[in-house]
Amino acid sequence: MDKMRMESKDITAQNIEKIGALFPNCIAESPDGYGGFKKSVNFEVLKQMLSNETAEADEAYEFTWVGKKAAAAEARRITRNTLRPCPEESRDWDTTENLYLEGENLEILKLLQESYLGSVKMIYIDPPYNTGHDFIYPDLFLMDKEAYNEGTGYFDEEGHVNYRRKNGKLAGRYHSDWCSMMYPRLMLARNLLREDGVIFISINDTELFNLQKICCEVFGDDNYLACFPRVTKRAGKTTEAIARNHDYVLAFGKSSETGFYLPPHTDTGYRFSDEYEAQRGKYKLNQTLDYDSLQYSPSLDYPIELEGETFYPGPSYEKYLERKAGRHARADWAWRWSRELFEFGYKNGFIVVRKRGKRSRIYTKTYQKARIVRTDSGFAVEYSERTKAISTLEFVNNEYSNDNAKKNLLKFFETSVFDYSKPVSLPKALAEYTTRGDDIIMDFFSGSSATAQAVMQLNAEDGGRRRFIMAQLPEICGEGTEAGKAGFRTICDIGKERIRRAGERLIKAGVWSGSAPDVGFRVFRLDESNMNDIYYTAEEYSQSMLLQLESNVRADRTDLDLLFGCLLDWGLPLTMTCRSEKLGNCTIHTYNEGELIACFDEAVPENVIQEIAARRPRRAVFRDFGFENSPAKLNVGQIFKVLAPDTRIKAI
């Protein structure tokens, strides 16, 4: 019976396997530190496989800072922490598909690497800005001075200041630790995104350019989408010559598959009807066939005979003749459509002749729901709702300002309990552009949970079933803060209460369309491993110490703690149905109707094991010390081999 790891997956080992699949000759073995061997990469061979030449280190174009290598290593470092369920703090625990995760978000991102790998459609984060002010959430990231001096060579080998090195005010340690904070989180966040997923990051100009360089490295230059300015305030007092009234939303895709759900075109010019209206909608006439010719081409300068008239591009037939004879200096009149496209358009109703003054002009019809597209064999009519592009100035209106964010909070709380939150309209608009149906939206700097409220509101409006994952460090609210005065102990308490109150308001308003609303959330709290340390580090203990141990599970852990720890280890989502029942004196837990069945009792009798096997779960979990003796433990495998040969069995 295999043991469960009860730790986050080894990303380094997985990457080595991927490299090995492409370049087997680059894989070597190295000592693992425990008397055995592990796979490793021969980087010199890998360099030879990837290039005929190797760039010199001092000539390579790269973005780096002191601590970058350590930050990347931190993203790959295994964690043995776990997420403990908190049903008493949750809402609609049995039915909700939303998550609220309390704890340090880097550790949380590591723990979600298997259960939510490639599952998240949109991530929006509002990380702490590097401003130097002390808000409720700490937002000053400066490296320790000694560590920075050591890493940058501030002093020479003899201990004297190295005056040859540059140390500008805006460079160096002021930025380094902030970059080290963001880098591993973005690396892990990318793994959680779907191939068509997108991440949006709020940031101000202090770290905008550093953040963009980090994202270009993590997500790829080709996957940069946009940098949206966002209004923070229209006016306000300032002691500086220039008032900074905006910040930014940086957008990157996971891959080239990233797509958007564009808003419908709301042009009021669609007011004409014809025989095609049922399929194509109304149409507008705002362009003539020779409108705004940008470049002259002889192939586009041809006469058209239509409805008893002959038409030429430009003001007159005489000018047409001059062009053909090469005597007219202004050779810029031409049709916008080729002769073949015109003939197709006229035959299929995309052309109309209208009087304009004393002249008749040829107009092209622009339909709401149809357009002409080129095909391999010519042209065809494509039917689709006409949309408009998302403007990079989308968020400069006052509804996206910090003033509006404050008003959002005051709808639920008597005072402003959270400073510098984002307005609900921002993540709501981003989610509307990128998600549909039951897509997952994540925010791992969730603060006051504006993103969660945005998801619920958007579902209420369009009948969607989007799910959210919020993660937040439980920073203590000081007694003197507005939040502390209002009775909130941590930022997480604010976020959870906001979700509860926002959900209640939506239900009472009766604005929900579609299926029953999901305004609940399962709460999980980051904690140390469910297992005693000896379970994983036995080589550090003597035999006499091992004999004193009665259990490998921590004394304060419940069956529910162990169950969800197994889900993370096995890579199962945390929001599926779960039920518990008694079989004799034992309790068994069934997850997602047989996706996993677990029994964590001791001395589990054979009849209980047979009953579990008879249900043929996909996975079964027991405690390593959950059997009367070694023969009974060995017998488990035989029982499942007969009754449920496809069930995977593990022990904790």
Side-chain angles (χ1 to χ4, degrees):
M1 188 182 302
D2 294 334
K3 292 277 189 72
M4 302 199 80
R5 300 190 319 271
M6 305 304 283
E7 62 187 19
S8 63
K9 69 178 181 180
D10 190 336
I11 297 177
T12 300
Q14 286 194 329
N15 290 336
I16 291 174
E17 291 294 333
K18 293 176 183 178
I19 293 174
L22 294 173
F23 308 109
N25 59 323
C26 296
I27 303 303
E29 287 188 342
S30 60
D32 62 4
Y34 302 104
F37 293 90
K38 63 179 180 180
K39 289 184 178 180
S40 60
V41 177
N42 187 322
F43 288 100
E44 292 302 319
V45 177
L46 184 60
K47 287 180 183 178
Q48 297 171 17
M49 296 297 296
L50 295 177
S51 175
N52 293 327
E53 299 178 2
T54 302
E56 295 296 330
D58 58 354
E59 294 180 351
Y61 178 79
E62 61 179 338
F63 173 57
T64 190
W65 63 90
V66 176
K68 182 179 181 180
K69 291 182 179 179
E74 181 57 45
R76 299 188 297 267
R77 187 171 291 115
I78 293 172
T79 180
R80 288 175 178 151
N81 289 330
T82 190
L83 290 172
R84 298 182 65 184
C86 305
E88 68 284 354
E89 298 181 36
S90 306
R91 173 169 179 164
D92 302 332
W93 172 272
D94 292 331
T95 58
T96 186
E97 295 187 75
N98 300 317
L99 290 175
Y100 190 96
L101 312 176
E102 294 188 24
E104 206 285 314
N105 57 16
L106 183 61
E107 293 292 289
I108 289 173
L109 288 169
K110 290 180 182 181
L111 290 170
L112 299 183
Q113 289 296 297
E114 293 211 48
S115 295
Y116 292 91
L117 179 69
S119 300
V120 178
K121 181 60 170 67
M122 183 193 111
I123 295 175
Y124 168 71
I125 56 173
D126 180 18
Y129 294 177
N130 198 0
T131 62
H133 298 291
D134 186 17
F135 302 131
I136 293 177
Y137 198 103
D139 68 339
L140 176 60
F141 292 89
L142 293 174
M143 291 191 70
D144 175 76
K145 191 171 182 178
E146 291 185 6
Y148 179 78
N149 291 342
E150 180 181 353
T152 58
Y154 188 84
F155 298 97
D156 60 24
E157 294 180 357
E158 298 178 3
H160 302 298
V161 174
N162 182 0
Y163 290 105
R164 291 178 297 176
R165 63 177 296 279
K166 295 181 179 180
N167 189 25
K169 179 180 178 181
L170 295 180
R173 71 184 182 94
Y174 184 82
H175 301 277
S176 292
D177 213 32
W178 191 91
C179 291
S180 292
M181 183 273 294
M182 291 298 298
Y183 192 50
R185 288 162 174 81
L186 292 176
M187 292 174 67
L188 294 170
R190 183 186 182 278
N191 297 338
L192 301 182
L193 282 175
R194 287 173 15 183
E195 284 303 304
D196 61 347
V198 60
I199 184 170
F200 298 99
I201 309 171
S202 284
I203 195 67
N204 70 352
D205 51 12
T206 303
E207 299 293 351
L208 171 64
F209 302 109
N210 289 336
L211 178 63
Q212 185 164 349
K213 290 174 184 177
I214 290 174
C215 287
C216 283
E217 180 173 324
V218 172
F219 297 96
D221 289 317
D222 293 341
N223 295 320
Y224 167 75
L225 298 175
C227 182
F228 300 90
R230 181 195 70 100
V231 63
T232 55
K233 56 184 177 181
R234 287 295 181 186
K237 295 180 180 179
T238 178
T239 58
E240 299 178 357
I242 299 175
R244 288 172 168 78
N245 289 349
H246 75 282
D247 56 16
Y248 305 90
V249 178
L250 195 60
F252 274 81
K254 169 78 173 284
S255 71
S256 59
E257 296 180 22
T258 301
F260 291 87
Y261 299 100
L262 300 180
H265 208 295
T266 55
D267 192 333
T268 57
Y270 293 102
R271 55 191 176 89
F272 299 107
S273 299
D274 60 14
E275 65 272 26
Y276 301 103
E277 182 177 357
Q279 283 185 295
R280 302 178 184 179
K282 294 184 181 297
Y283 70 90
K284 63 180 179 179
L285 297 175
N286 62 352
Q287 290 185 349
T288 57
L289 191 60
D290 60 355
Y291 172 80
D292 195 22
S293 300
L294 297 178
Q295 183 175 357
Y296 180 77
S297 172
S299 64
L300 298 177
D301 192 0
Y302 57 90
I304 294 176
E305 295 183 2
L306 192 63
E307 299 183 10
E309 294 187 65
T310 302
F311 297 86
Y312 306 93
S316 66
Y317 172 64
E318 289 73 18
K319 297 297 183 183
Y320 169 76
L321 292 178
E322 290 180 11
R323 289 196 303 275
K324 288 299 184 182
R327 298 194 302 272
H328 194 267
R330 187 181 170 191
D332 58 355
W333 288 103
W335 301 120
R336 291 184 295 112
W337 289 7
S338 67
R339 188 184 296 272
E340 294 77 17
L341 177 56
F342 168 79
E343 291 175 352
F344 179 89
Y346 180 68
K347 180 180 179 181
N348 289 275
F350 284 84
I351 296 293
V352 65
V353 177
R354 293 285 176 87
K355 281 283 187 180
R356 185 177 180 184
K358 296 181 179 181
R359 294 183 59 200
S360 296
R361 304 292 297 272
I362 298 176
Y363 287 82
T364 59
K365 295 180 181 179
T366 302
Y367 287 95
Q368 288 176 308
K369 302 177 182 179
R371 71 192 72 204
I372 300 174
V373 295
R374 184 178 291 276
T375 66
D376 293 337
S377 58
F379 300 95
V381 179
E382 179 183 80
Y383 297 94
S384 60
E385 188 76 36
R386 193 170 293 275
T387 58
K388 63 178 180 180
I390 302 168
S391 170
T392 54
L393 299 178
E394 193 75 19
F395 307 118
V396 297
N397 298 325
N398 197 54
E399 65 176 302
Y400 300 106
S401 70
N402 290 343
D403 290 338
N404 205 44
K406 186 175 182 179
K407 293 176 183 177
N408 292 159
L409 277 172
L410 290 176
K411 291 180 180 179
F412 305 110
F413 304 102
E414 293 72 24
T415 183
S416 182
V417 296
F418 193 91
D419 293 330
Y420 301 98
S421 65
K422 293 298 183 288
V424 175
S425 55
L426 178 61
K428 180 172 174 286
L430 298 175
E432 190 171 11
Y433 293 148
T434 57
T435 65
R436 287 292 186 273
D438 61 353
D439 288 344
I440 297 176
I441 297 166
M442 185 178 195
D443 183 346
F444 52 87
F445 285 99
S446 64
S448 66
S449 294
T451 302
Q453 181 183 341
V455 172
M456 294 189 296
Q457 283 190 199
L458 187 55
N459 284 341
E461 293 175 9
D462 67 8
R465 304 181 311 282
R466 298 171 185 84
R467 297 162 287 168
F468 63 73
I469 301 176
M470 299 293 105
Q472 175 60 41
L473 183 71
E475 278 289 311
I476 300 296
C477 301
E479 292 183 3
T481 64
E482 292 298 319
K485 294 176 184 177
F488 293 104
R489 190 180 65 86
T490 70
I491 291 177
C492 292
D493 294 336
I494 298 173
K496 289 180 291 187
E497 187 60 24
R498 179 179 189 166
I499 300 173
R500 295 187 191 100
R501 296 185 185 187
E504 284 294 333
R505 178 169 294 218
L506 284 171
I507 293 175
K508 290 179 180 179
V511 296
W512 211 282
S513 62
S515 58
D518 183 359
V519 295
F521 52 96
R522 285 185 176 180
V523 177
F524 290 83
R525 184 169 291 117
L526 185 71
D527 204 340
E528 59 187 354
S529 173
N530 290 322
M531 317 308 293
N532 285 312
D533 291 338
I534 186 63
Y535 182 65
Y536 293 106
T537 58
E539 69 279 354
E540 299 178 10
Y541 290 77
S542 66
Q543 184 66 30
S544 61
M545 294 172 67
L546 289 173
L547 293 175
Q548 296 173 14
L549 292 175
E550 296 181 357
S551 173
N552 59 347
V553 177
R554 292 185 187 274
D556 63 338
R557 301 308 158 96
T558 66
D559 277 14
L560 207 59
D561 291 327
L562 300 179
L563 174 64
F564 280 93
C566 292
L567 298 182
L568 289 170
D569 192 274
W570 230 318
L572 293 175
L574 302 178
T575 54
M576 295 179 174
T577 58
C578 176
R579 58 185 173 85
S580 302
E581 61 183 299
K582 279 286 188 180
L583 280 181
N585 294 324
C586 296
T587 302
I588 67 169
H589 309 276
T590 303
Y591 195 72
N592 194 33
E593 302 303 323
E595 192 76 30
L596 179 147
I597 295 181
C599 180
F600 302 115
D601 289 299
E602 297 182 2
V604 180
E606 184 174 315
N607 67 308
V608 172
I609 296 171
Q610 289 177 337
E611 175 61 27
I612 294 174
R615 298 183 184 186
R616 298 194 172 189
R618 293 188 63 183
R619 304 167 180 84
V621 182
F622 303 92
R623 286 181 64 166
D624 198 34
F625 298 148
F627 308 99
E628 294 181 347
N629 48 48
S630 295
K633 181 177 178 181
L634 293 173
N635 194 38
V636 173
Q638 294 301 317
I639 292 173
F640 274 88
K641 187 175 182 180
V642 173
L643 298 178
D646 296 328
T647 298
R648 297 171 60 191
I649 315 168
K650 287 189 177 182
I652 62 170

